[in-house]
Amino acid sequence: MGPLILEFAPHDIGWLLPVIRGVALSAPLTMFTSRIAPAHWLRRLRLLLTPQETDPRASSPHCRPRP
């Protein structure tokens, strides 16, 4: 995809870099975070967490809002 963009629309590469980078890095990031040690390390740094992981009570339908 990158070579095609460079060939036909080189002036648009700056706008498309976030998309291209996300697609290119998604598989390596998934492989890296699926291992136990890196996953624990990222959790200790509180990176790549979902809202349910940071505050489980906030996602529960049976929980009342805090006053």
Side-chain angles (χ1 to χ4, degrees):
M1 186 164 102
L4 287 174
I5 294 169
L6 283 174
E7 177 68 29
F8 294 109
H11 56 281
D12 291 334
I13 195 72
W15 288 100
L16 294 171
L17 261 175
V19 174
I20 294 168
R21 192 177 329 141
V23 169
L25 294 178
S26 63
L29 180 64
T30 302
M31 290 176 60
F32 177 73
T33 57
S34 68
R35 290 174 169 62
I36 297 294
H40 287 294
W41 178 69
L42 289 169
R43 180 179 283 274
R44 277 194 308 270
L45 295 175
R46 300 186 59 82
L47 295 173
L48 304 177
L49 296 177
T50 63
Q52 290 82 7
E53 292 173 313
T54 57
D55 187 12
R57 294 174 295 156
S59 63
S60 173
H62 304 290
C63 160
R64 288 192 241 188
R66 296 180 204 147

